[in-house]
Amino acid sequence: MMTDIQNRLAILEKAKKLKLLILDVDGVLTDGKLFFDAEGNEYKSFHARDGHGIKLLRQTGVEVAVISGRKSSSVALRMKNLGIEHVYQGHENKIAAFNEILQKTGITHEQAAHVGDDLLDLPIMIRVGLAIAVNDANFAVKQRADWCTTLPGGQGAVREVCDFIMQAQGRFDEVLNAYLVR
């Protein structure tokens, strides 16, 4: 049985190898709540720090992709604003989208991480190099994750993941210094 220190070191080693971060949307990039107006228009709330973390991570050379079981124009708009090219919506069976992203990018399973919160995320989580669950994820997802964030989905958990990957890869100080010299 691994000690907490051994487990943390194993997670850091996995994070060092990452070239791709795959995110779920509802419950990860959002708090999972769905808002609809009287006409059926859907609204979602995204955390600004998550978006900035994604932009910073992408600047270090790590690709970011989104695979969601639901389809939403607000997700398409937010991902476009963040410059995310690999956006797959309406994929309840997420494996086909996952395999297509790997094929398009040439990235291996071991070089990919996935952040999820619910059972639909498990098929990808069990295949990636680093499986991550947000703090308020379903218990079965948390049990199968390599690491769980301290923050809940939609409340900065994605930024926590981005910062962790940049730190593991020795790139966080470089990103931070760009803000300190201004």
Side-chain angles (χ1 to χ4, degrees), residues 16-170:
K16 284 181 186 178
K17 299 174 185 174
L18 295 178
K19 294 184 177 181
L20 173 65
L21 175 63
I22 302 169
L23 304 167
D24 178 37
V25 176
D26 296 319
V28 173
L29 281 166
T30 75
D31 64 7
K33 294 176 186 166
L34 302 173
F35 299 94
F36 297 92
D37 66 16
E39 284 79 42
N41 297 310
E42 183 177 358
Y43 299 91
K44 295 182 186 283
S45 173
F46 298 94
H47 202 294
R49 280 194 303 252
D50 288 343
H52 192 66
I54 289 168
K55 286 182 176 183
L56 295 174
L57 185 64
R58 290 185 65 242
Q59 287 174 12
T60 69
V62 176
E63 290 275 342
V64 177
V66 168
I67 303 175
S68 178
R70 295 178 43 80
K71 198 167 193 170
S72 167
S73 58
S74 60
V75 171
L77 179 61
R78 180 65 175 147
M79 297 310 111
K80 182 180 178 185
N81 290 341
L82 294 174
I84 297 175
E85 297 174 27
H86 307 287
V87 179
Y88 293 79
Q89 294 194 73
H91 288 263
E92 284 193 27
N93 178 352
K94 297 183 176 190
I95 292 300
F98 172 63
N99 289 332
E100 186 174 318
I101 293 167
L102 295 183
Q103 189 271 326
K104 282 183 176 180
T105 62
I107 294 171
T108 66
H109 290 78
E110 297 80 23
Q111 295 170 319
H114 185 273
V115 185
D117 73 308
D118 213 340
L119 303 181
L120 286 173
D121 299 308
L122 287 174
I124 295 177
M125 290 179 70
I126 63 174
R127 288 171 170 81
V128 294
L130 182 60
I132 304 166
V134 294
N135 183 271
D136 58 337
N138 175 275
F139 75 95
V141 174
K142 290 172 83 169
Q143 286 175 342
R144 286 159 180 83
D146 297 308
W147 177 58
C148 294
T149 64
T150 61
L151 296 169
Q155 301 298 314
V158 171
R159 176 61 178 269
E160 184 180 345
V161 170
C162 293
D163 287 351
F164 175 75
I165 293 169
M166 288 185 289
Q167 288 171 335
Q169 295 183 352

